[in-house]
Amino acid sequence: MVDQSRIDTLRAAPVAARKLLIDGKWQEGEGRPGEVTSPIDGTHLTTLESASSNDVDRAVAAARAAFEDGRWSKQPPAARKRVLHAIADRIQAEAVELAVLGIRDNGTEFGMAINAEPGSAAGTFRYYAEALDKVAGEVAPTPENILGLVHHAPVGVVGAIVPWNFPLMIGAWKLAPALALGNSVVLKPAESASLSLLRLAEICLECGLPEGVFNVVTGPGSETGNAIAHHMDIDVLAFTGSGPTGRRLMEASARSNLKRVYLELGGKSPNIIFPDAPNLAQAAKVSAMGIFRNSGQVCVAASRLLVHADIHDEFVAMVQAEAEALRVGDPLDLNNQVGAVHSETQLAHDLSFMDKAVAEGGEIVTGGKRILEETGGTYMAPTIIAGVERDHNVFQNEVFGPVLAVSRFKTEEEAISLANATDFGLSSAVWTSDLSRAHRCVAGIRAGLVHVNTYGGADNTVPLGGVGQSGNGHDKSMHAFDKYADLKAAWIQL
Ligand code: NAD
């Protein structure tokens, strides 16, 4: 059990200015250092170095040298396994410290962060530590006198660019499988939420990951990220973030070395409630948490609620009661269930949806405004907008905030049609007691993930990825290895 006094002690500690990690050394960058502000109370937290394109060059050169000389890539699988397990152990041992550090720059409520950030990152390192020596090649059924072998060769240097929501979890999703296969990595965290990943980099070194194998370059996307995207010596780019940035990365690949680009992007995930849902009260509770936890800043947030007309008013009232009962505030106060919106910019973006939603005919049932402004932090009331039609702005576009758009349907066909009526395809859910309907919805909904009678569960064994404009490729599970390996065939005359 974590008590409040331990959290309060950790939150009071000053955060030292942080440098770039290149070739195992903490170094200054050529760019203008960035200031980090805490969303909890708007105070200045620390300063981060910014990597210029020269700094990125140095990081990539270090990663390449490490890959080529085999200090990690040619270590026996059992040795790599030991290091990854040691990293997982250390993350677990430092879970509270890591969670608090991360919350101070990104604002996620402690109850969620402790599991989703260090908890998930430790599990991810452990999963790929266990998996790395289960990846075997193939012997192809070739003609007589030929031996055809198929190897899974590490790609070399992986670039990873990650967002500010769940940096540790998402960073580990890229880092652990890439390292497990022997690759080197150059990682760029979001400029406003780098602290927990910088600590992870220290942990990796302390646990025996050789210098140069994992490099961290902080700095703005437009400079540091852009240099990674255009780099001629990065083999694979793994990205999580917004659609517009994802498009830029694909263009950058086309303009540079045609590096493989894997995109985990946004969503506008539908959550369909049929009248025969097994337990409407439970569905309402889970639906509320499916959108409001971490102030809706979750890629798979259930941001569109599609409710059958027969239960629409009753069910929306139930979700409204759940929303209004949530305690929003200081994410490091254990009494609170929902923390801060990440930044003033993000809050302004979230609020910008309100007027348009009303102008288009939506009705703000609850929330719709900034709260707790006197704290200096960025907080928004859980918001429900009813009467949303498929052509409305808030139906089509990702808010990435605590905003639930509610639409009504009459038939299963209409529900699936509404579910599929955006450009996204990340997550979804259907609530019903009818097994056949559940299967029809799983088949009919265009998304990387369809929940049935639940929302938001996660496990390393199950891949996460989108279709449509939610991205390509998958994090988690054995499928993540596909991103960080090249298939290499050997054709041997016997
Ligand atoms: P963002 O695209 O603004 O930034 C993500 C990262 O890209 C940051 O590190 C940023 O510095 C960098 N970046 C920005 N511009 C760049 C450029 N021109 N070149 C290279 N790098 C650049 O996204 P965000 O606001 O940090 O994150 C929120 C978005 O991430 C939402 O759309 C959310 O849905 C998505 N997301 C998706 C998943 C998933 O698994 N599908 C998970 C979490 C978040």
Side-chain angles (χ1 to χ4, degrees), residues 72-88:
W72 174 250
S73 54
K74 295 203 173 81
Q75 280 195 26
R80 277 186 268 134
K81 180 191 284 274
R82 271 195 299 277
V83 173
L84 295 192
H85 269 307
I87 295 169

Side-chain angles (χ1 to χ4, degrees), residues 161-165 170 188-191 221 225-226 239-242 245 248-249 264-266 299 398 400 426 464:
I161 301 180
V162 298
W164 45 257
N165 68 323
I170 294 172
K188 193 200 92 62
E191 48 273 47
N226 192 50
F239 172 73
T240 296
S242 64
T245 306
R248 285 194 198 100
L249 301 187
E264 310 287 336
L265 307 175
C299 57
E398 185 184 43
F400 213 54
L426 192 53
L464 176 67

Side-chain angles (χ1 to χ4, degrees), residues 381-405:
T383 298
I384 299 175
I385 303 173
V388 175
E389 304 289 340
R390 67 174 75 203
D391 59 341
H392 289 186
N393 180 46
V394 74
F395 186 101
Q396 291 293 339
N397 294 304
E398 185 184 43
V399 180
F400 213 54
V403 179
L404 180 63

Side-chain angles (χ1 to χ4, degrees), residues 223-247:
E223 290 173 34
T224 315
N226 192 50
I228 291 174
H230 286 88
H231 207 283
M232 294 299 289
D233 202 28
I234 287 178
D235 301 292
V236 160
L237 179 52
F239 172 73
T240 296
S242 64
T245 306
R247 284 169 202 275

Side-chain angles (χ1 to χ4, degrees), residues 234-444:
I234 287 178
D235 301 292
V236 160
L237 179 52
F239 172 73
T240 296
S242 64
T245 306
R247 284 169 202 275
R248 285 194 198 100
L249 301 187
M250 284 209 151
E251 281 178 32
S253 167
R255 295 215 163 96
S256 55
N257 64 341
L258 290 176
K259 57 181 73 63
R260 294 208 311 258
V261 180
Y262 293 104
L263 304 175
E264 310 287 336
L265 307 175
K268 195 76 206 182
S269 301
N271 181 25
I272 307 174
I273 316 292
F274 286 99
D276 64 350
N279 179 338
L280 280 180
Q282 172 70 2
K285 193 179 264 306
V286 174
S287 299
M289 287 317 283
I291 175 63
F292 298 129
R293 62 193 178 142
N294 197 23
S295 292
Q297 301 162 129
V298 180
C299 57
V300 295
S303 53
R304 285 188 296 139
L305 183 65
L306 311 180
V307 192
H308 192 278
D310 288 354
I311 53 163
H312 176 276
D313 294 355
E314 173 199 357
F315 192 75
V316 172
M318 290 163 91
V319 179
Q320 178 184 356
E322 295 290 342
E324 291 173 353
L326 287 170
R327 288 185 303 274
V328 182
D330 181 346
L332 287 170
D333 179 338
L334 291 174
N335 291 314
N336 289 331
Q337 296 160 292
V338 176
V341 172
H342 177 61
S343 64
E344 290 287 350
T345 311
Q346 184 63 40
L347 180 57
H349 169 81
D350 299 349
L351 292 170
S352 75
F353 278 79
M354 299 304 122
D355 287 349
K356 184 123 199 241
V358 173
E360 288 179 330
E363 179 208 348
I364 298 180
V365 174
T366 186
K369 55 181 191 297
R370 181 176 193 158
I371 53 171
L372 303 171
E373 200 165 353
E374 67 283 3
T375 63
T378 36
Y379 300 91
M380 182 169 170
T383 298
I384 299 175
I385 303 173
V388 175
E389 304 289 340
R390 67 174 75 203
D391 59 341
H392 289 186
N393 180 46
V394 74
F395 186 101
Q396 291 293 339
N397 294 304
E398 185 184 43
V399 180
F400 213 54
V403 179
L404 180 63
V406 186
S407 308
R408 173 191 302 257
F409 69 85
K410 290 206 175 89
T411 65
E412 180 183 316
E413 206 177 25
E414 189 190 0
I416 293 175
S417 157
L418 281 168
N420 292 341
T422 74
D423 293 332
F424 296 106
L426 192 53
S427 181
S428 61
V430 53
W431 296 76
T432 178
S433 297
D434 179 336
L435 187 60
S436 303
R437 169 182 280 158
H439 281 291
R440 284 194 300 272
C441 289
V442 169

